[in-house]
Amino acid sequence: MGVVVNLEDGKKPEASIAALVELTAGDMKAVNELILSKAGSDVTMIPEVANHLISSGGKRLRPMLTLAAAKLFGYEGDGHVKLAMSVEFMHTATLLHDDVVDESGMRRGKKTARMIWGNQASVLVGDFLLGQAFRTMVDVGSLEALDILANAAAVIAEGEVLQLSVAKNLETTEDEYLEVIKAKTAALFSAAAEVGPVIAKASRNDRTALRSYGTNLGYAFQLVDDALDYGGSTKDLGKNVGDDFREGKVTLPVILSYRRGTEDERAFWRQAIEGGNADDAGLEKALGLMKKHNAIADTIGRARHFGGIARDALAPMPNSRHKTALLDVIDFCISRVV
Amino acid sequence: MGVVVNLEDGKKPEASIAALVELTAGDMKAVNELILSKAGSDVTMIPEVANHLISSGGKRLRPMLTLAAAKLFGYEGDGHVKLAMSVEFMHTATLLHDDVVDESGMRRGKKTARMIWGNQASVLVGDFLLGQAFRTMVDVGSLEALDILANAAAVIAEGEVLQLSVAKNLETTEDEYLEVIKAKTAALFSAAAEVGPVIAKASRNDRTALRSYGTNLGYAFQLVDDALDYGGSTKDLGKNVGDDFREGKVTLPVILSYRRGTEDERAFWRQAIEGGNADDAGLEKALGLMKKHNAIADTIGRARHFGGIARDALAPMPNSRHKTALLDVIDFCISRVV
């Protein structure tokens, strides 16, 4: 059932992110220790719920970005570790709340926290992690970094609300959809990357460059994620192919197929997405229509476009191992669709 | 059906909070304008949901505390207005999430946001308001104030999770219950009061005094709230008498009645609270048992105890209109039970 998309460069995902993992390994050990410590509480349900998600094998891409972005500008100190942890907690809090809002059953191949501990615990532990994220950021003492991350938190929540209104609306334009993922995904990638040069007291241009890198990497990442939901396999994804379809989510592959479709095809999409008739037979048909209209390949094409902007954002930086590692992440994000 | 409790001082609520309202009227105008502005968003659902709760006639006691506590130490500037707004947004976010967690239908005599816009919007708009609160705090530029409020946010969420485990457990001790309301209510009162002297650059002793005032006022406020749920009238409360009972909430009046009760009475409480058999006949019986064991009066007695500590916390301060207004709030909180 998967749609196989061959990429020109054919890079292996493992290869691509390896440099970043290696460069940040020492700091990530400290981040992971801080995560475990800050997810701790005498209220035993909190570490249980938090660790369920934290230990579920996410790549921790966002905190690695913060670490590498700080080191790219020669940062010495431990503020980058604290900010990286805060970024990961903000991400985890968002996932906990998202699963409640989307009524999701599975994430990364495991039952979601809400299926085990309920919606109540997921909402509140999310709030707790967000609170811990802010405490830890404050501890770093950089008002500029705080401003960036607090801003991201508000934008992310705003984006999630925006997504509610977009969710079942097939008339959503590509522009409107890009606004959603700008807030939902790109804002945190952007903040994660920008706080690096900020605490390293790098120049205004360097800050702007890293912010642009993060934003566009975030766009690329989310668009590929949307494509993966209609390709890949359950094993690779940790979620089932067609989850977005079954939940009636309007993502770019759907938007493109709908806009390029015939009247009959549009009626099918309306019945499936807006009418809630998104079963397995519907998924087969949806995949066929996406293929017919080149919707998956073009979604990946858009991702590649944003990846290019991210690449150019870093172009003025002198060559370094950290720069190379950050550039590799762009390829990694896009080459996940194999 | 109401349990009428006469207070020795017999003060009228309107009289008691009037001085604080009058002293902070000018600043509260600025706070209210900032609230409207920061609850604004191009995503129209956000101001709708936010304004539903914000305009629903809460007393805005917490932001008034922040304003008065700053002015008590001669603060000049506009930081107290921003912090007051942040405190109110933190409170509003908590209410939105609480109503989802408690599956509440009514708040302050109106339908809850979740009944009108759904749980999803309530969770996400709460997140948005929390994000806006942090942005606005950061804007004030005081790392100490940020630390206090971020800490409160984490403690509040932790307390809410703790409350989940306490919710239907009749063996909860009074100490355990006080831990819950310390986190759930007292933490924000405490932070609201403490940030006043902090931005006014008052002494360490003044900070400690206002923190203690806020904490103990918070205890008193919540205990009276618990008592009111078994007294007063729907009109006064904006919620129905017995809501806590019907939701199986274990509050101090229940804890005291249960611990002081006979075996038969304990069996009744277990069936009602743990067994989910809390109907109107059950409420009548519960009110009778509370009367028999003096549970409401003793709950108010506990509130009075904390009120006394709050009063003494302010004792060393020189007399001033702001000090008098803050002292009056203690009486107001307790005299709500009339």
Side-chain angles (χ1 to χ4, degrees), chain B residues 70-147:
Chain B
K71 287 294 183 187
L72 181 63
F73 299 99
Y75 177 73
E76 303 286 343
D78 65 352
H80 65 324
V81 167
K82 290 177 181 165
L83 292 177
M85 186 228 80
S86 300
V87 163
E88 184 67 6
F89 270 19
M90 284 174 68
H91 176 55
T92 308
T94 306
L95 296 185
L96 280 167
H97 286 186
D98 272 7
D99 286 341
V100 172
V101 168
D102 296 343
E103 300 176 352
S104 303
M106 296 280 281
R107 169 167 310 267
R108 295 178 190 155
K110 286 170 77 173
K111 273 192 184 173
T112 53
R114 62 179 284 275
M115 300 300 281
I116 304 174
W117 292 276
N119 283 339
Q120 304 177 326
S122 294
V123 169
L124 297 175
V125 174
D127 289 354
F128 174 75
L129 293 179
L130 210 55
Q132 290 291 65
F134 278 108
R135 280 168 93 169
T136 311
M137 283 174 220
V138 170
D139 199 28
V140 176
S142 161
L143 279 169
E144 276 184 300
L146 270 165
D147 194 27

Side-chain angles (χ1 to χ4, degrees), chain A residues 41-43 45-46 97 101 120-121 123-125 127-128 130-132 134-135 138 141 143 146-147 150-151 153-154 157-158 160-162 164, chain B residues 41-43 45-46 97 101 120-121 123-125 127-128 130-132 134-135 138 141 143 146-147 150-151 153-154 157-158 160-162 164:
Chain A
S41 165
D42 292 338
V43 184
M45 198 195 275
I46 291 179
H97 287 186
V101 169
Q120 304 178 326
V123 169
L124 297 175
V125 174
D127 289 353
F128 174 75
L130 209 55
Q132 290 290 65
F134 278 107
R135 280 169 91 168
V138 171
L143 279 170
L146 270 166
D147 194 28
N151 194 51
E158 196 170 14
E160 300 279 351
V161 184
L162 180 61
L164 284 185
Chain B
S41 166
D42 291 339
V43 183
M45 197 195 276
I46 291 180
H97 286 186
V101 168
Q120 304 177 326
V123 169
L124 297 175
V125 174
D127 289 354
F128 174 75
L130 210 55
Q132 290 291 65
F134 278 108
R135 280 168 93 169
V138 170
L143 279 169
L146 270 165
D147 194 27
N151 194 50
E158 195 171 16
E160 300 280 351
V161 184
L162 180 59
L164 285 184

